[in-house]
Each structure stands twice: as structure tokens, then as C-alpha cells.
Amino acid sequence: MPHDAAVASVSSRLKLLALFAVFLLPMAVAWGMVEWRLGIPEGRIAHGQLTPDLPALEAWPLDEVAKQGEDDWVLAFDCPAACDAQADRWWRLHRALGRDAHRISRLRLGGSGEVLPGAAAADWTQAAAWRSPGRLWVFDPDGRAVLAYAPDVETAQVLEDLELLLERNPEPPMARLHAE
């Protein structure tokens, strides 16, 4: 019987080691992936440039900033003197959002002429270091700059980013009730 006891002891130890491996191995693999950047995709999710250093929209040197809804994301574009094509481009993008279009407010910064339906206009009161004619910024509902786009960005890329942002940041459950 001593042989059977030894086999049972080894078997119990192997079971215990297997149990530890089941729980500790995934943690060790995850730590290795983070530490040595193994198996983590290098591709970018957003097409725009992340802008954590920009001040909040309320601190921008603008005369008056208005958005339609309290929980709206803001799509602000810096408009040179003549920007009808650019304003139309962002109006069409806004419409392309479909059922989520009500969650976005458009803000034209500078420029002149009529504002397209669903947009607001604000004028620069002084020069800002980050100002760039033709640039587009996306602000979260709290007014923080999230993404910035160069003037030559493809509209489809901005649409893709906005759809992803709106999907990952769902509308507050009571927002529709307050809107009605």
C-alpha cells in the first residue's frame, strides 16, 4: 500500500498544480502581453488626432458658444472667410449619423454668411495658438476636446470615428424623456 499512497500523493499534487495553472497562467500571459507588447494590435482606432492638451471649449476665445442639447457632442470647425463647401460637408456628415444625429451639435467657428440648419456660429475674439483654418474638432458633452482633424481628412473617417464614439458612449437613459 505505500506505493498506492505515493501515487495518490503525486496525483493530488499534480491536480493542485493544474488548478493553479488554470488560474495563474492567463494572468501571467496577460502580464507578458502588456509588459513586452506581444499580441497587442498596433493599429489606431481613431482617425483623428487625440487632443488632451487643448483647453475645454468654454475656455476658448469665442464670443458665444451654443449647443442644442445639454448632453450633445460638439462638432466644431474653424471656418475661413468662405467656407460654404466645408459647412455643407459637415452638415451632410451630421445627417449621415441617422438616429444618432440628435446627439451632435455643429458649431462654425468664424466665417460669414448664413448658418446651415442645425448649426450655431461663434466668432473668435482673439487668436488662439491651436487655431487652424479648416480644422475640425470633436468635443465631448463636457466640452473637452477629444479629437482634431486636418482640413483634408476624409469625411468617411470622421463619420466612422463619430459612430464609434457615440456607440461607446451611450445616450443617458433619461435624455430622450427630457428632450420631449
PDB file of all heavy atoms in Angstrom, residues 53-72:
ATOM      1  N   ASP A  53      -4.319  68.063 -24.586  1.00  0.00           N
ATOM      2  CA  ASP A  53      -3.728  69.313 -24.093  1.00  0.00           C
ATOM      3  C   ASP A  53      -4.560  70.559 -24.403  1.00  0.00           C
ATOM      4  O   ASP A  53      -4.252  71.634 -23.883  1.00  0.00           O
ATOM      5  CB  ASP A  53      -2.321  69.495 -24.685  1.00  0.00           C
ATOM      6  CG  ASP A  53      -1.385  68.379 -24.256  1.00  0.00           C
ATOM      7  OD1 ASP A  53      -1.620  67.783 -23.187  1.00  0.00           O
ATOM      8  OD2 ASP A  53      -0.437  68.088 -24.998  1.00  0.00           O
ATOM      9  N   LEU A  54      -5.572  70.439 -25.237  1.00  0.00           N
ATOM     10  CA  LEU A  54      -6.389  71.605 -25.568  1.00  0.00           C
ATOM     11  C   LEU A  54      -7.290  71.968 -24.393  1.00  0.00           C
ATOM     12  O   LEU A  54      -7.791  71.092 -23.697  1.00  0.00           O
ATOM     13  CB  LEU A  54      -7.257  71.328 -26.792  1.00  0.00           C
ATOM     14  CG  LEU A  54      -6.560  71.354 -28.139  1.00  0.00           C
ATOM     15  CD1 LEU A  54      -7.564  71.092 -29.251  1.00  0.00           C
ATOM     16  CD2 LEU A  54      -5.867  72.673 -28.388  1.00  0.00           C
ATOM     17  N   PRO A  55      -7.514  73.248 -24.184  1.00  0.00           N
ATOM     18  CA  PRO A  55      -8.433  73.642 -23.106  1.00  0.00           C
ATOM     19  C   PRO A  55      -9.879  73.262 -23.471  1.00  0.00           C
ATOM     20  O   PRO A  55     -10.199  72.996 -24.623  1.00  0.00           O
ATOM     21  CB  PRO A  55      -8.267  75.163 -23.035  1.00  0.00           C
ATOM     22  CG  PRO A  55      -7.689  75.568 -24.345  1.00  0.00           C
ATOM     23  CD  PRO A  55      -6.930  74.391 -24.872  1.00  0.00           C
ATOM     24  N   ALA A  56     -10.719  73.275 -22.466  1.00  0.00           N
ATOM     25  CA  ALA A  56     -12.139  72.988 -22.676  1.00  0.00           C
ATOM     26  C   ALA A  56     -12.743  74.061 -23.578  1.00  0.00           C
ATOM     27  O   ALA A  56     -12.251  75.200 -23.635  1.00  0.00           O
ATOM     28  CB  ALA A  56     -12.866  72.935 -21.342  1.00  0.00           C
ATOM     29  N   LEU A  57     -13.803  73.718 -24.266  1.00  0.00           N
ATOM     30  CA  LEU A  57     -14.443  74.633 -25.220  1.00  0.00           C
ATOM     31  C   LEU A  57     -14.850  75.948 -24.560  1.00  0.00           C
ATOM     32  O   LEU A  57     -14.734  77.009 -25.159  1.00  0.00           O
ATOM     33  CB  LEU A  57     -15.652  73.954 -25.868  1.00  0.00           C
ATOM     34  CG  LEU A  57     -16.386  74.728 -26.947  1.00  0.00           C
ATOM     35  CD1 LEU A  57     -15.445  75.079 -28.097  1.00  0.00           C
ATOM     36  CD2 LEU A  57     -17.576  73.934 -27.465  1.00  0.00           C
ATOM     37  N   GLU A  58     -15.287  75.904 -23.327  1.00  0.00           N
ATOM     38  CA  GLU A  58     -15.710  77.135 -22.633  1.00  0.00           C
ATOM     39  C   GLU A  58     -14.540  78.099 -22.404  1.00  0.00           C
ATOM     40  O   GLU A  58     -14.757  79.300 -22.212  1.00  0.00           O
ATOM     41  CB  GLU A  58     -16.381  76.801 -21.311  1.00  0.00           C
ATOM     42  CG  GLU A  58     -15.459  76.128 -20.325  1.00  0.00           C
ATOM     43  CD  GLU A  58     -16.184  75.559 -19.115  1.00  0.00           C
ATOM     44  OE1 GLU A  58     -17.364  75.244 -19.215  1.00  0.00           O
ATOM     45  OE2 GLU A  58     -15.527  75.447 -18.072  1.00  0.00           O
ATOM     46  N   ALA A  59     -13.299  77.602 -22.447  1.00  0.00           N
ATOM     47  CA  ALA A  59     -12.126  78.461 -22.257  1.00  0.00           C
ATOM     48  C   ALA A  59     -11.569  78.984 -23.581  1.00  0.00           C
ATOM     49  O   ALA A  59     -10.598  79.737 -23.584  1.00  0.00           O
ATOM     50  CB  ALA A  59     -11.032  77.685 -21.514  1.00  0.00           C
ATOM     51  N   TRP A  60     -12.168  78.604 -24.696  1.00  0.00           N
ATOM     52  CA  TRP A  60     -11.697  79.082 -25.996  1.00  0.00           C
ATOM     53  C   TRP A  60     -12.103  80.548 -26.164  1.00  0.00           C
ATOM     54  O   TRP A  60     -13.166  80.960 -25.690  1.00  0.00           O
ATOM     55  CB  TRP A  60     -12.299  78.235 -27.115  1.00  0.00           C
ATOM     56  CG  TRP A  60     -11.637  76.893 -27.256  1.00  0.00           C
ATOM     57  CD1 TRP A  60     -11.092  76.135 -26.272  1.00  0.00           C
ATOM     58  CD2 TRP A  60     -11.460  76.164 -28.463  1.00  0.00           C
ATOM     59  NE1 TRP A  60     -10.587  74.971 -26.792  1.00  0.00           N
ATOM     60  CE2 TRP A  60     -10.802  74.966 -28.136  1.00  0.00           C
ATOM     61  CE3 TRP A  60     -11.798  76.396 -29.780  1.00  0.00           C
ATOM     62  CZ2 TRP A  60     -10.472  74.009 -29.093  1.00  0.00           C
ATOM     63  CZ3 TRP A  60     -11.467  75.437 -30.737  1.00  0.00           C
ATOM     64  CH2 TRP A  60     -10.805  74.265 -30.390  1.00  0.00           C
ATOM     65  N   PRO A  61     -11.288  81.331 -26.857  1.00  0.00           N
ATOM     66  CA  PRO A  61     -11.620  82.753 -27.049  1.00  0.00           C
ATOM     67  C   PRO A  61     -12.701  82.937 -28.126  1.00  0.00           C
ATOM     68  O   PRO A  61     -12.435  83.382 -29.238  1.00  0.00           O
ATOM     69  CB  PRO A  61     -10.280  83.364 -27.463  1.00  0.00           C
ATOM     70  CG  PRO A  61      -9.527  82.257 -28.103  1.00  0.00           C
ATOM     71  CD  PRO A  61      -9.967  81.006 -27.403  1.00  0.00           C
ATOM     72  N   LEU A  62     -13.911  82.591 -27.776  1.00  0.00           N
ATOM     73  CA  LEU A  62     -15.054  82.691 -28.682  1.00  0.00           C
ATOM     74  C   LEU A  62     -16.096  83.594 -28.050  1.00  0.00           C
ATOM     75  O   LEU A  62     -16.233  83.643 -26.823  1.00  0.00           O
ATOM     76  CB  LEU A  62     -15.654  81.309 -28.945  1.00  0.00           C
ATOM     77  CG  LEU A  62     -14.722  80.278 -29.586  1.00  0.00           C
ATOM     78  CD1 LEU A  62     -15.347  78.894 -29.545  1.00  0.00           C
ATOM     79  CD2 LEU A  62     -14.400  80.676 -31.015  1.00  0.00           C
ATOM     80  N   ASP A  63     -16.866  84.294 -28.898  1.00  0.00           N
ATOM     81  CA  ASP A  63     -17.853  85.227 -28.354  1.00  0.00           C
ATOM     82  C   ASP A  63     -19.023  84.527 -27.680  1.00  0.00           C
ATOM     83  O   ASP A  63     -19.437  84.900 -26.606  1.00  0.00           O
ATOM     84  CB  ASP A  63     -18.312  86.230 -29.411  1.00  0.00           C
ATOM     85  CG  ASP A  63     -18.981  85.571 -30.601  1.00  0.00           C
ATOM     86  OD1 ASP A  63     -19.071  84.324 -30.655  1.00  0.00           O
ATOM     87  OD2 ASP A  63     -19.413  86.311 -31.500  1.00  0.00           O
ATOM     88  N   GLU A  64     -19.561  83.505 -28.297  1.00  0.00           N
ATOM     89  CA  GLU A  64     -20.706  82.820 -27.700  1.00  0.00           C
ATOM     90  C   GLU A  64     -20.783  81.406 -28.263  1.00  0.00           C
ATOM     91  O   GLU A  64     -20.791  81.215 -29.467  1.00  0.00           O
ATOM     92  CB  GLU A  64     -21.996  83.573 -28.026  1.00  0.00           C
ATOM     93  CG  GLU A  64     -23.193  83.036 -27.311  1.00  0.00           C
ATOM     94  CD  GLU A  64     -24.428  83.877 -27.574  1.00  0.00           C
ATOM     95  OE1 GLU A  64     -24.305  85.110 -27.686  1.00  0.00           O
ATOM     96  OE2 GLU A  64     -25.505  83.282 -27.678  1.00  0.00           O
ATOM     97  N   VAL A  65     -20.833  80.441 -27.389  1.00  0.00           N
ATOM     98  CA  VAL A  65     -20.904  79.051 -27.815  1.00  0.00           C
ATOM     99  C   VAL A  65     -22.264  78.503 -27.401  1.00  0.00           C
ATOM    100  O   VAL A  65     -22.662  78.619 -26.243  1.00  0.00           O
ATOM    101  CB  VAL A  65     -19.779  78.207 -27.175  1.00  0.00           C
ATOM    102  CG1 VAL A  65     -19.937  76.745 -27.526  1.00  0.00           C
ATOM    103  CG2 VAL A  65     -18.420  78.717 -27.628  1.00  0.00           C
ATOM    104  N   ALA A  66     -22.960  77.934 -28.368  1.00  0.00           N
ATOM    105  CA  ALA A  66     -24.268  77.344 -28.087  1.00  0.00           C
ATOM    106  C   ALA A  66     -24.312  75.942 -28.665  1.00  0.00           C
ATOM    107  O   ALA A  66     -23.738  75.676 -29.711  1.00  0.00           O
ATOM    108  CB  ALA A  66     -25.364  78.194 -28.711  1.00  0.00           C
ATOM    109  N   LYS A  67     -24.974  75.058 -27.936  1.00  0.00           N
ATOM    110  CA  LYS A  67     -25.219  73.729 -28.477  1.00  0.00           C
ATOM    111  C   LYS A  67     -26.681  73.402 -28.226  1.00  0.00           C
ATOM    112  O   LYS A  67     -27.309  73.976 -27.329  1.00  0.00           O
ATOM    113  CB  LYS A  67     -24.265  72.689 -27.904  1.00  0.00           C
ATOM    114  CG  LYS A  67     -24.298  72.467 -26.425  1.00  0.00           C
ATOM    115  CD  LYS A  67     -23.244  71.422 -26.056  1.00  0.00           C
ATOM    116  CE  LYS A  67     -23.377  70.993 -24.619  1.00  0.00           C
ATOM    117  NZ  LYS A  67     -22.470  69.919 -24.277  1.00  0.00           N
ATOM    118  N   GLN A  68     -27.198  72.474 -29.017  1.00  0.00           N
ATOM    119  CA  GLN A  68     -28.630  72.215 -28.969  1.00  0.00           C
ATOM    120  C   GLN A  68     -29.057  71.498 -27.700  1.00  0.00           C
ATOM    121  O   GLN A  68     -29.994  71.896 -27.035  1.00  0.00           O
ATOM    122  CB  GLN A  68     -29.058  71.425 -30.197  1.00  0.00           C
ATOM    123  CG  GLN A  68     -28.932  72.216 -31.465  1.00  0.00           C
ATOM    124  CD  GLN A  68     -29.236  71.390 -32.694  1.00  0.00           C
ATOM    125  OE1 GLN A  68     -29.281  70.170 -32.642  1.00  0.00           O
ATOM    126  NE2 GLN A  68     -29.437  72.055 -33.802  1.00  0.00           N
ATOM    127  N   GLY A  69     -28.379  70.410 -27.357  1.00  0.00           N
ATOM    128  CA  GLY A  69     -28.752  69.630 -26.180  1.00  0.00           C
ATOM    129  C   GLY A  69     -27.661  69.656 -25.134  1.00  0.00           C
ATOM    130  O   GLY A  69     -26.479  69.803 -25.445  1.00  0.00           O
ATOM    131  N   GLU A  70     -28.053  69.493 -23.897  1.00  0.00           N
ATOM    132  CA  GLU A  70     -27.095  69.529 -22.793  1.00  0.00           C
ATOM    133  C   GLU A  70     -26.066  68.411 -22.894  1.00  0.00           C
ATOM    134  O   GLU A  70     -24.901  68.601 -22.558  1.00  0.00           O
ATOM    135  CB  GLU A  70     -27.880  69.411 -21.478  1.00  0.00           C
ATOM    136  CG  GLU A  70     -27.039  69.524 -20.246  1.00  0.00           C
ATOM    137  CD  GLU A  70     -27.895  69.412 -18.989  1.00  0.00           C
ATOM    138  OE1 GLU A  70     -28.932  70.084 -18.918  1.00  0.00           O
ATOM    139  OE2 GLU A  70     -27.508  68.635 -18.108  1.00  0.00           O
ATOM    140  N   ASP A  71     -26.495  67.234 -23.357  1.00  0.00           N
ATOM    141  CA  ASP A  71     -25.602  66.074 -23.449  1.00  0.00           C
ATOM    142  C   ASP A  71     -25.041  65.878 -24.849  1.00  0.00           C
ATOM    143  O   ASP A  71     -24.589  64.789 -25.192  1.00  0.00           O
ATOM    144  CB  ASP A  71     -26.353  64.808 -23.016  1.00  0.00           C
ATOM    145  CG  ASP A  71     -26.738  64.859 -21.543  1.00  0.00           C
ATOM    146  OD1 ASP A  71     -25.939  65.377 -20.743  1.00  0.00           O
ATOM    147  OD2 ASP A  71     -27.833  64.381 -21.196  1.00  0.00           O
ATOM    148  N   ASP A  72     -25.070  66.920 -25.667  1.00  0.00           N
ATOM    149  CA  ASP A  72     -24.584  66.804 -27.048  1.00  0.00           C
ATOM    150  C   ASP A  72     -23.067  66.789 -27.133  1.00  0.00           C
ATOM    151  O   ASP A  72     -22.381  67.470 -26.371  1.00  0.00           O
ATOM    152  CB  ASP A  72     -25.078  67.983 -27.901  1.00  0.00           C
ATOM    153  CG  ASP A  72     -26.486  67.788 -28.386  1.00  0.00           C
ATOM    154  OD1 ASP A  72     -27.125  66.802 -27.989  1.00  0.00           O
ATOM    155  OD2 ASP A  72     -26.954  68.641 -29.159  1.00  0.00           O
TER     156      ASP A  72
END
